Amino acid sequence: MKKVNVYVTLRESVLDPQGSAVKGALHAMDYKAVQDVRIGKFLELQIDETAGDIDALVKEMCERLLTNTVIEDYRYEIEEAVSQ
Amino acid sequence: MKKVNVYVTLRESVLDPQGSAVKGALHAMDYKAVQDVRIGKFLELQIDETAGDIDALVKEMCERLLTNTVIEDYRYEIEEAVSQ
């Protein structure tokens, strides 16, 4: 079993209203040092390592389902085998 | 300016319906090698480095606003100064 961490973030050019709301809330709580907040998704996948080319598999799943590539970027890292 | 990445995940013992739905969708698309999916949040904060103890600041913000510590865990990493 391999553990794959996928990080999905909004592209730089896309407005992030959720991030703005959190920034506003932090400022209201007097955390004025926070200059910017962007919020993305973090997915942890457990993938059967007999599946072959995990790298290609993850890329395909990201492109087809996990991210909206028009407005989102993604990156991922594949961790070593997880004990079962 | 320091960049802080915060990763918020559901605790192990908490059910993740969003992750289950994504897993179901992946299986329906024939990605049967995926054994489990858990979905969390990923926050990118830009913090003014004159703010003092960034570590304590981030911890406090996480506990007070960014995470629900009853059902969520968090970890974070502080990156070096970002060019402005």
Side-chain angles (χ1 to χ4, degrees):
Chain A
M1 202 76 83
K2 295 260 189 190
K3 185 169 172 233
V4 180
N5 293 329
V6 182
Y7 307 92
V8 181
T9 47
L10 280 172
R11 281 171 186 264
E12 283 297 325
S13 54
V14 177
L15 284 177
D16 179 2
Q18 197 187 357
S20 301
V22 168
K23 183 179 137 190
L26 287 170
H27 281 197
M29 292 167 78
D30 230 31
Y31 296 113
K32 307 277 193 200
V34 178
Q35 300 293 306
D36 195 34
V37 180
R38 308 265 307 165
I39 298 183
K41 273 178 297 184
F42 169 54
L43 294 93
E44 292 173 307
L45 310 176
Q46 303 281 354
I47 300 182
D48 190 345
E49 60 201 318
T50 59
D53 187 349
I54 300 226
D55 201 66
L57 183 71
V58 172
K59 218 171 267 182
E60 198 182 303
M61 290 192 300
C62 284
E63 302 275 344
R64 288 188 63 196
L65 182 77
L66 303 178
T67 72
N68 175 351
T69 52
V70 176
I71 56 166
E72 291 171 333
D73 285 322
Y74 67 92
R75 64 192 167 81
Y76 58 88
E77 61 202 18
I78 299 172
E79 286 181 18
E80 271 323 289
V82 178
S83 65
Q84 299 200 53
Chain B
M1 201 78 83
K2 295 260 190 190
K3 185 171 170 231
V4 180
N5 293 329
V6 182
Y7 307 93
V8 181
T9 48
L10 281 172
R11 281 171 186 264
E12 283 297 325
S13 55
V14 177
L15 285 177
D16 179 3
Q18 196 188 358
S20 301
V22 168
K23 184 179 139 189
L26 287 170
H27 282 197
M29 290 167 79
D30 230 30
Y31 296 112
K32 306 278 192 200
V34 178
Q35 301 292 304
D36 194 34
V37 180
R38 306 263 309 164
I39 298 183
K41 273 179 297 183
F42 169 53
L43 293 94
E44 291 173 306
L45 311 176
Q46 305 281 354
I47 301 183
D48 190 345
E49 59 202 319
T50 58
D53 188 349
I54 299 224
D55 201 66
L57 183 71
V58 172
K59 217 170 266 180
E60 198 183 301
M61 290 192 299
C62 285
E63 303 276 343
R64 288 189 63 196
L65 181 78
L66 304 178
T67 72
N68 175 351
T69 52
V70 177
I71 57 166
E72 290 171 333
D73 285 322
Y74 66 91
R75 65 193 167 79
Y76 58 87
E77 61 202 19
I78 299 171
E79 287 181 17
E80 271 323 290
V82 177
S83 66
Q84 300 201 53

